[in-house]
Amino acid sequence: MRSGLLPLLDFVPPGMRVMADRGFDIQDLLIKPNLTLNIPPYKGKRAYLLQEEVICTQKVAAVRIHVDRAIGRVKLRFHILDRHIPSSTFGSIDQFWTVCCLFGPLINDEVR
């Protein structure tokens, strides 16, 4: 809840989907901005997923790979998580990450 991401939801157009991992029970936070939570289904105590759940999982995975690649590019480009992070900066680490994400596409890899 303290990640600083919730205020960003105000800029997401109504009707859009927010992707999260299993266990992130944030559906109640998405009601006001009229957003839908998109998490992969899980079988729980069942032996297998239902056919619709398998299809849903495949669709989420097809999109999630792009998100994972984008995160990987930021980590490779800025090395923000490669070293020890002082505890004095814990309150600002979200801002550091946001700046890296915003400036990442603006940096030409050949110049770097």
Side-chain angles (χ1 to χ4, degrees):
M1 299 302 168
R2 298 179 313 172
S3 69
L5 293 176
L6 288 178
L8 295 176
L9 294 177
D10 293 335
F11 298 101
V12 178
M16 298 294 288
R17 293 177 171 262
V18 174
M19 186 180 294
D21 282 330
R22 293 179 192 106
F24 282 90
D25 188 21
I26 59 170
Q27 184 65 44
D28 56 329
L29 301 173
L30 304 176
I31 293 172
K32 184 179 177 190
N34 193 20
L35 302 173
T36 304
L37 180 61
N38 193 3
I39 58 172
Y42 52 96
K43 61 183 182 176
K45 295 183 180 185
R46 298 177 292 168
Y48 55 87
L49 292 174
L50 301 174
Q51 177 75 22
E52 306 86 43
E53 293 172 329
V54 170
I55 293 169
C56 178
T57 299
Q58 291 170 340
K59 288 179 180 179
V60 170
V63 175
R64 184 184 173 131
I65 188 70
H66 298 292
V67 174
D68 289 341
R69 286 180 182 163
I71 291 170
R73 281 193 303 271
V74 171
K75 289 168 75 175
L76 283 174
R77 185 171 283 153
F78 293 101
H79 304 282
I80 191 169
L81 300 175
D82 288 355
R83 52 187 74 85
H84 174 75
I85 300 172
S87 60
S88 62
T89 64
F90 285 174
S92 303
I93 194 68
D94 288 335
Q95 287 116 354
F96 295 156
W97 180 257
T98 301
V99 169
C100 291
C101 290
L102 292 173
F103 284 116
L106 303 175
I107 296 174
N108 185 346
D109 286 332
E110 295 175 13
V111 175
R112 205 171 49 101

